[in-house]
Amino acid sequence: MRKDPARPSWADVTPKHLFLNRRALIGGALALGVAAPVAAKIAARPSPYSTDAAPNSYEQITGYNNYYEFGWDKGDPAQNAGRLKTDPWSVEIGGLVDRPGSWPLDDVLRTAPAEERIYRFRCVEAWSMVIPWIGFPLAALLERAGVQPGAKYVAFQTLYRPEEMPGQRAPGIDWPYVEGLRLDEAMHPLTLLTYGLYGEALPNQNGAPLRIVVPWKYGFKSIKSIVKISLVAEEPRTTWKELQPREYGFYANVNPAVDHPRWSQATERVIGAGFLTPRRATEPFNGYGDQVAGIYQGMDLRKSY
Ligand code: MTE
């Protein structure tokens, strides 16, 4: 675990923004009996899209996770995700695009300069955190791929590798995990293709090496460890909607007025705030309404939940 969870200083980052697999490097160095390299800092510029709320600690962000491929408890991903091999990694970009193919991770990451964005992250289970993510707009990658006119949605798929993901050997979910966004949601500048947090490469439990973060939606839309991105004409399958359609819809916009059938979504527990601190009132669109409410004009968001 990182000892100093303070915000990274922009002065001490190296110009190298590309991902380094710290665990593999350290493992390799130990095997060779040489000194392990220092963790690479990602040179990222602060983004104006950030909230000014104070971030949660690195320990909270990396120790309290949902990643069902590694178990059902919040502590399971931190315990079990270390075995996942994230190097080499490539992403298959396909469907209605001009330049389909298997894109090596380094090529994906060359799309745009790294930005640090501090986003409020709200889970459907009524807790929240504030996380300093590192990434770039998903729109930049989709533009590089060349979105064709018939595309209306983007479908995402997580790695399927049961040897390294013990949850995938258990029944319950039709693996691999899949998610989707409407094309305008995917192209929205707030939607971040994310590969780091707190100035370092993403830890495995947070979705290494590449995940989505959609700050105005419940956390389950933010799919981790992505291996496939497809531009499609029809609304794609999504794991949670398939599992519990009454509880999890395709849109999953944070909405304090629409309760989950089994609990209220009006307030949230801020992770790390202590039990005496009152719960926080949940904001429509997780506080990002000024930027995104317009794209849902004319829709009944109680029905399209
Ligand atoms: N992606 C995959 N592949 N598998 C998962 O189980 N869980 C989702 C989402 N992405 C999940 C996933 C849920 S329910 C949440 S709340 C967020 O990841 C949690 O992200 P975090 O652990 O970085 O906070």
Side-chain angles (χ1 to χ4, degrees):
M1 285 269 168
R2 192 166 184 268
K3 290 203 178 54
D4 174 17
R7 294 273 313 275
S9 134
W10 303 112
D12 71 6
V13 295
T14 71
K16 185 167 189 169
H17 84 275
L18 292 184
F19 168 90
L20 275 183
N21 187 329
R22 186 157 50 125
R23 189 169 288 105
L25 281 173
I26 292 172
L30 289 177
L32 292 170
V34 297
V38 178
K41 281 278 177 198
I42 299 171
R45 60 185 183 204
S47 165
Y49 290 103
S50 293
T51 157
D52 38 18
N56 279 85
S57 72
Y58 187 85
E59 283 70 22
Q60 287 158 355
I61 295 167
T62 60
Y64 192 89
N65 304 98
N66 280 341
Y67 197 166
Y68 295 100
E69 285 86 338
F70 295 106
W72 290 93
D73 290 336
K74 306 290 178 219
D76 286 346
Q79 287 288 317
N80 301 331
R83 257 176 299 147
L84 175 67
K85 257 189 74 197
T86 59
D87 184 17
W89 196 272
S90 56
V91 182
E92 192 188 328
I93 302 184
L96 300 167
V97 291
D98 297 333
R99 282 172 288 284
S102 176
W103 295 39
L105 181 64
D106 275 2
D107 191 17
V108 171
L109 299 190
R110 258 192 290 275
T111 300
E115 289 176 26
E116 187 206 49
R117 295 189 178 188
I118 304 173
Y119 279 156
R120 182 174 298 286
F121 195 77
R122 169 67 162 77
C123 186
V124 74
E125 294 155 315
W127 51 264
S128 67
M129 289 196 208
V130 174
I131 305 183
W133 300 109
I134 309 267
F136 58 83
L138 173 64
L141 181 73
L142 299 181
E143 276 158 16
R144 256 183 92 195
V147 179
Q148 295 180 349
K152 300 279 183 287
Y153 295 89
V154 185
F156 305 93
Q157 187 177 306
T158 291
L159 178 73
Y160 179 68
R161 195 182 287 158
E163 321 83 86
E164 293 173 17
M165 297 175 131
Q168 291 180 337
R169 304 199 290 266
I173 291 181
D174 184 10
W175 306 107
Y177 195 100
V178 287
E179 256 306 334
L181 294 171
R182 211 169 63 187
L183 185 60
D184 57 348
E185 298 176 325
M187 298 296 280
H188 194 283
L190 282 176
T191 302
L192 199 67
L193 193 58
T194 304
Y195 57 95
L197 63 80
Y198 262 123
E200 294 177 4
L202 274 182
N204 285 358
Q205 61 266 38
N206 292 87
L210 195 67
R211 68 176 292 169
I212 296 292
V213 175
V214 194
W216 71 96
K217 292 179 182 278
Y218 292 113
F220 66 90
K221 298 296 288 182
S222 292
I223 185 171
K224 297 176 168 181
S225 307
I226 296 169
V227 292
K228 195 168 173 185
I229 300 178
S230 313
L231 279 288
V232 295
E234 307 291 337
E235 185 182 293
R237 288 175 51 223
T238 63
T239 291
W240 286 101
K241 186 176 172 195
E242 206 163 80
L243 213 57
Q244 294 281 10
R246 259 177 25 82
E247 301 189 359
Y248 305 98
F250 178 80
Y251 284 93
N253 291 315
V254 174
N255 190 344
V258 176
D259 287 335
H260 183 282
R262 289 182 281 137
W263 53 77
S264 165
Q265 295 288 17
T267 64
E268 64 206 40
R269 180 168 68 92
V270 178
I271 298 295
F275 284 99
L276 294 176
T277 310
R279 292 169 70 89
R280 183 179 178 278
T282 293
E283 295 173 72
F285 298 107
N286 209 18
Y288 299 92
D290 286 351
Q291 290 105 311
V292 300
I295 65 178
Y296 303 106
Q297 233 159 30
M299 282 177 67
D300 181 349
L301 294 178
R302 287 174 167 276
K303 291 203 175 110
S304 300
Y305 58 93

Short mmCIF file of all heavy atoms in Angstrom, two decimals, residues 138-139 142 147 151-154 181-191 214 216-217 231 250-251 291-297 299:
data_model
loop_
_atom_site.label_atom_id
_atom_site.label_comp_id
_atom_site.label_asym_id
_atom_site.label_seq_id
_atom_site.Cartn_x
_atom_site.Cartn_y
_atom_site.Cartn_z
N LEU A 138 -13.19 9.33 -23.13
CA LEU A 138 -13.45 8.19 -24.00
C LEU A 138 -13.71 8.67 -25.43
O LEU A 138 -13.34 8.00 -26.41
CB LEU A 138 -14.65 7.41 -23.46
CG LEU A 138 -15.17 6.27 -24.33
CD1 LEU A 138 -14.13 5.16 -24.48
CD2 LEU A 138 -16.47 5.70 -23.75
N ALA A 139 -14.34 9.85 -25.56
CA ALA A 139 -14.66 10.40 -26.88
C ALA A 139 -13.42 10.46 -27.78
O ALA A 139 -13.50 10.22 -28.98
CB ALA A 139 -15.28 11.79 -26.74
N LEU A 142 -12.86 7.09 -29.26
CA LEU A 142 -13.91 6.74 -30.23
C LEU A 142 -13.72 7.53 -31.52
O LEU A 142 -13.92 7.02 -32.62
CB LEU A 142 -15.30 6.97 -29.62
CG LEU A 142 -15.61 6.13 -28.37
CD1 LEU A 142 -17.02 6.42 -27.86
CD2 LEU A 142 -15.43 4.63 -28.63
N VAL A 147 -16.23 6.63 -35.59
CA VAL A 147 -17.59 6.13 -35.35
C VAL A 147 -18.43 6.30 -36.62
O VAL A 147 -18.49 7.38 -37.19
CB VAL A 147 -18.25 6.90 -34.18
CG1 VAL A 147 -19.68 6.41 -33.94
CG2 VAL A 147 -17.41 6.76 -32.91
N ALA A 151 -24.03 3.90 -35.69
CA ALA A 151 -23.76 3.55 -34.28
C ALA A 151 -24.61 4.40 -33.35
O ALA A 151 -24.66 5.62 -33.47
CB ALA A 151 -22.28 3.76 -33.98
N LYS A 152 -25.29 3.73 -32.41
CA LYS A 152 -26.14 4.46 -31.44
C LYS A 152 -25.71 4.19 -30.00
O LYS A 152 -26.08 4.93 -29.10
CB LYS A 152 -27.61 4.00 -31.59
CG LYS A 152 -28.21 4.26 -32.97
CD LYS A 152 -28.65 5.71 -33.10
CE LYS A 152 -29.32 6.00 -34.44
NZ LYS A 152 -28.32 6.03 -35.55
N TYR A 153 -24.99 3.11 -29.78
CA TYR A 153 -24.58 2.71 -28.42
C TYR A 153 -23.14 2.21 -28.46
O TYR A 153 -22.63 1.84 -29.52
CB TYR A 153 -25.45 1.55 -27.90
CG TYR A 153 -26.90 1.91 -27.71
CD1 TYR A 153 -27.81 1.77 -28.77
CD2 TYR A 153 -27.35 2.40 -26.49
CE1 TYR A 153 -29.14 2.11 -28.60
CE2 TYR A 153 -28.69 2.73 -26.32
CZ TYR A 153 -29.57 2.59 -27.37
OH TYR A 153 -30.89 2.92 -27.20
N VAL A 154 -22.52 2.19 -27.26
CA VAL A 154 -21.20 1.59 -27.11
C VAL A 154 -21.31 0.44 -26.10
O VAL A 154 -21.86 0.62 -25.01
CB VAL A 154 -20.16 2.62 -26.61
CG1 VAL A 154 -18.77 2.00 -26.60
CG2 VAL A 154 -20.17 3.86 -27.50
N LEU A 181 -23.26 2.13 -22.91
CA LEU A 181 -23.69 3.53 -22.81
C LEU A 181 -24.34 3.91 -24.13
O LEU A 181 -23.99 3.34 -25.19
CB LEU A 181 -22.48 4.44 -22.59
CG LEU A 181 -21.72 4.30 -21.26
CD1 LEU A 181 -20.43 5.12 -21.31
CD2 LEU A 181 -22.60 4.76 -20.08
N ARG A 182 -25.26 4.86 -24.06
CA ARG A 182 -25.75 5.45 -25.31
C ARG A 182 -24.60 6.26 -25.90
O ARG A 182 -23.75 6.76 -25.15
CB ARG A 182 -26.95 6.35 -24.97
CG ARG A 182 -27.99 6.44 -26.05
CD ARG A 182 -29.23 7.13 -25.53
NE ARG A 182 -28.94 8.51 -25.12
CZ ARG A 182 -29.82 9.29 -24.51
NH1 ARG A 182 -31.04 8.86 -24.21
NH2 ARG A 182 -29.49 10.53 -24.17
N LEU A 183 -24.57 6.40 -27.23
CA LEU A 183 -23.41 7.05 -27.85
C LEU A 183 -23.17 8.46 -27.30
O LEU A 183 -22.03 8.84 -27.03
CB LEU A 183 -23.58 7.09 -29.38
CG LEU A 183 -22.38 7.64 -30.15
CD1 LEU A 183 -21.12 6.81 -29.90
CD2 LEU A 183 -22.68 7.71 -31.64
N ASP A 184 -24.26 9.23 -27.08
CA ASP A 184 -24.03 10.60 -26.58
C ASP A 184 -23.48 10.59 -25.15
O ASP A 184 -22.70 11.48 -24.78
CB ASP A 184 -25.29 11.47 -26.69
CG ASP A 184 -26.50 10.91 -25.97
OD1 ASP A 184 -26.47 9.73 -25.54
OD2 ASP A 184 -27.50 11.64 -25.83
N GLU A 185 -23.83 9.58 -24.36
CA GLU A 185 -23.25 9.45 -23.01
C GLU A 185 -21.76 9.11 -23.12
O GLU A 185 -20.93 9.66 -22.40
CB GLU A 185 -23.96 8.35 -22.23
CG GLU A 185 -25.44 8.62 -22.01
CD GLU A 185 -26.15 7.44 -21.31
OE1 GLU A 185 -25.78 6.26 -21.57
OE2 GLU A 185 -27.06 7.70 -20.52
N ALA A 186 -21.47 8.19 -24.03
CA ALA A 186 -20.08 7.76 -24.19
C ALA A 186 -19.20 8.90 -24.71
O ALA A 186 -18.02 8.99 -24.37
CB ALA A 186 -20.01 6.57 -25.15
N MET A 187 -19.78 9.76 -25.54
CA MET A 187 -19.03 10.88 -26.13
C MET A 187 -19.01 12.10 -25.21
O MET A 187 -18.33 13.09 -25.52
CB MET A 187 -19.64 11.28 -27.48
CG MET A 187 -19.62 10.20 -28.54
SD MET A 187 -17.96 9.71 -29.03
CE MET A 187 -17.55 11.03 -30.18
N HIS A 188 -19.75 12.07 -24.12
CA HIS A 188 -19.81 13.24 -23.24
C HIS A 188 -18.43 13.48 -22.61
O HIS A 188 -17.76 12.54 -22.18
CB HIS A 188 -20.85 13.02 -22.13
CG HIS A 188 -21.18 14.29 -21.42
ND1 HIS A 188 -20.35 14.84 -20.47
CD2 HIS A 188 -22.22 15.15 -21.56
CE1 HIS A 188 -20.88 15.98 -20.04
NE2 HIS A 188 -22.02 16.19 -20.69
N PRO A 189 -18.00 14.76 -22.56
CA PRO A 189 -16.64 15.02 -22.05
C PRO A 189 -16.40 14.55 -20.61
O PRO A 189 -15.25 14.37 -20.21
CB PRO A 189 -16.48 16.54 -22.18
CG PRO A 189 -17.82 17.08 -22.54
CD PRO A 189 -18.63 15.97 -23.10
N LEU A 190 -17.45 14.34 -19.82
CA LEU A 190 -17.23 13.84 -18.46
C LEU A 190 -16.86 12.36 -18.43
O LEU A 190 -16.30 11.88 -17.44
CB LEU A 190 -18.50 14.02 -17.60
CG LEU A 190 -18.82 15.41 -17.05
CD1 LEU A 190 -20.15 15.38 -16.33
CD2 LEU A 190 -17.72 15.90 -16.12
N THR A 191 -17.18 11.62 -19.48
CA THR A 191 -16.94 10.17 -19.48
C THR A 191 -15.45 9.90 -19.70
O THR A 191 -14.89 10.29 -20.73
CB THR A 191 -17.79 9.48 -20.55
OG1 THR A 191 -19.16 9.77 -20.27
CG2 THR A 191 -17.58 7.97 -20.55
N VAL A 214 -17.97 6.92 -15.23
CA VAL A 214 -19.09 7.77 -15.69
C VAL A 214 -19.67 8.43 -14.44
O VAL A 214 -20.48 7.82 -13.74
CB VAL A 214 -20.18 6.94 -16.39
CG1 VAL A 214 -21.14 7.86 -17.16
CG2 VAL A 214 -19.59 5.90 -17.32
N TRP A 216 -21.82 10.60 -13.41
CA TRP A 216 -23.21 10.91 -13.07
C TRP A 216 -24.07 9.64 -12.96
O TRP A 216 -25.27 9.71 -12.74
CB TRP A 216 -23.81 11.89 -14.07
CG TRP A 216 -24.09 11.37 -15.45
CD1 TRP A 216 -25.29 10.89 -15.90
CD2 TRP A 216 -23.19 11.32 -16.57
NE1 TRP A 216 -25.18 10.52 -17.23
CE2 TRP A 216 -23.91 10.79 -17.67
CE3 TRP A 216 -21.84 11.68 -16.77
CZ2 TRP A 216 -23.33 10.59 -18.92
CZ3 TRP A 216 -21.28 11.49 -18.02
CH2 TRP A 216 -22.01 10.95 -19.06
N LYS A 217 -23.46 8.50 -13.09
CA LYS A 217 -24.19 7.23 -13.01
C LYS A 217 -23.73 6.41 -11.80
O LYS A 217 -22.62 6.61 -11.31
CB LYS A 217 -23.97 6.42 -14.29
CG LYS A 217 -24.61 7.07 -15.50
CD LYS A 217 -24.37 6.28 -16.75
CE LYS A 217 -24.97 6.96 -17.96
NZ LYS A 217 -26.41 6.70 -18.12
N LEU A 231 -19.00 -0.50 -31.15
CA LEU A 231 -20.02 0.48 -31.52
C LEU A 231 -21.17 -0.29 -32.16
O LEU A 231 -20.94 -1.04 -33.11
CB LEU A 231 -19.43 1.51 -32.48
CG LEU A 231 -18.62 2.66 -31.88
CD1 LEU A 231 -19.53 3.65 -31.16
CD2 LEU A 231 -17.50 2.22 -30.96
N PHE A 250 -30.83 0.16 -17.64
CA PHE A 250 -29.73 0.46 -18.56
C PHE A 250 -29.12 1.82 -18.23
O PHE A 250 -27.91 2.00 -18.30
CB PHE A 250 -30.23 0.45 -20.01
CG PHE A 250 -29.15 0.81 -20.99
CD1 PHE A 250 -28.21 -0.14 -21.38
CD2 PHE A 250 -29.04 2.10 -21.52
CE1 PHE A 250 -27.17 0.19 -22.25
CE2 PHE A 250 -28.02 2.43 -22.40
CZ PHE A 250 -27.10 1.47 -22.77
N TYR A 251 -29.95 2.81 -17.86
CA TYR A 251 -29.42 4.18 -17.71
C TYR A 251 -28.66 4.34 -16.40
O TYR A 251 -27.54 4.84 -16.39
CB TYR A 251 -30.53 5.21 -17.88
CG TYR A 251 -30.86 5.34 -19.35
CD1 TYR A 251 -31.87 4.58 -19.94
CD2 TYR A 251 -30.06 6.13 -20.17
CE1 TYR A 251 -32.11 4.64 -21.30
CE2 TYR A 251 -30.30 6.21 -21.54
CZ TYR A 251 -31.32 5.46 -22.09
OH TYR A 251 -31.53 5.52 -23.44
N GLN A 291 -24.15 19.69 -16.31
CA GLN A 291 -23.46 19.24 -17.53
C GLN A 291 -24.24 18.19 -18.32
O GLN A 291 -24.11 18.14 -19.53
CB GLN A 291 -22.08 18.65 -17.18
CG GLN A 291 -21.05 19.67 -16.70
CD GLN A 291 -20.83 19.58 -15.20
OE1 GLN A 291 -21.79 19.57 -14.42
NE2 GLN A 291 -19.58 19.53 -14.79
N VAL A 292 -25.03 17.36 -17.63
CA VAL A 292 -25.59 16.20 -18.36
C VAL A 292 -27.11 16.14 -18.46
O VAL A 292 -27.63 15.39 -19.29
CB VAL A 292 -25.08 14.84 -17.80
CG1 VAL A 292 -23.58 14.74 -17.89
CG2 VAL A 292 -25.56 14.61 -16.37
N ALA A 293 -27.84 16.93 -17.63
CA ALA A 293 -29.31 16.76 -17.64
C ALA A 293 -29.86 16.95 -19.04
O ALA A 293 -30.82 16.26 -19.44
CB ALA A 293 -29.96 17.73 -16.65
N GLY A 294 -29.26 17.85 -19.81
CA GLY A 294 -29.76 18.17 -21.16
C GLY A 294 -29.85 16.98 -22.09
O GLY A 294 -30.74 16.93 -22.95
N ILE A 295 -28.98 16.01 -21.93
CA ILE A 295 -28.99 14.89 -22.90
C ILE A 295 -30.15 13.94 -22.64
O ILE A 295 -30.40 13.05 -23.44
CB ILE A 295 -27.63 14.13 -22.99
CG1 ILE A 295 -27.28 13.40 -21.70
CG2 ILE A 295 -26.51 15.05 -23.41
CD1 ILE A 295 -25.97 12.61 -21.80
N TYR A 296 -30.86 14.14 -21.51
CA TYR A 296 -32.02 13.27 -21.22
C TYR A 296 -33.34 14.01 -21.36
O TYR A 296 -34.38 13.51 -20.93
CB TYR A 296 -31.89 12.69 -19.81
CG TYR A 296 -30.60 11.92 -19.63
CD1 TYR A 296 -29.55 12.44 -18.89
CD2 TYR A 296 -30.42 10.69 -20.26
CE1 TYR A 296 -28.36 11.75 -18.76
CE2 TYR A 296 -29.23 9.99 -20.14
CZ TYR A 296 -28.20 10.53 -19.39
OH TYR A 296 -27.03 9.83 -19.27
N GLN A 297 -33.31 15.20 -21.96
CA GLN A 297 -34.53 15.99 -22.10
C GLN A 297 -35.62 15.19 -22.82
O GLN A 297 -35.34 14.51 -23.81
CB GLN A 297 -34.24 17.26 -22.89
CG GLN A 297 -34.72 18.49 -22.17
CD GLN A 297 -34.02 19.74 -22.66
OE1 GLN A 297 -33.65 19.79 -23.83
NE2 GLN A 297 -33.85 20.71 -21.79
N MET A 299 -37.11 12.60 -21.70
CA MET A 299 -37.19 11.21 -21.22
C MET A 299 -37.77 11.18 -19.82
O MET A 299 -37.49 12.07 -19.02
CB MET A 299 -35.78 10.59 -21.17
CG MET A 299 -35.26 10.17 -22.51
SD MET A 299 -33.57 9.53 -22.31
CE MET A 299 -33.86 8.04 -21.36
#
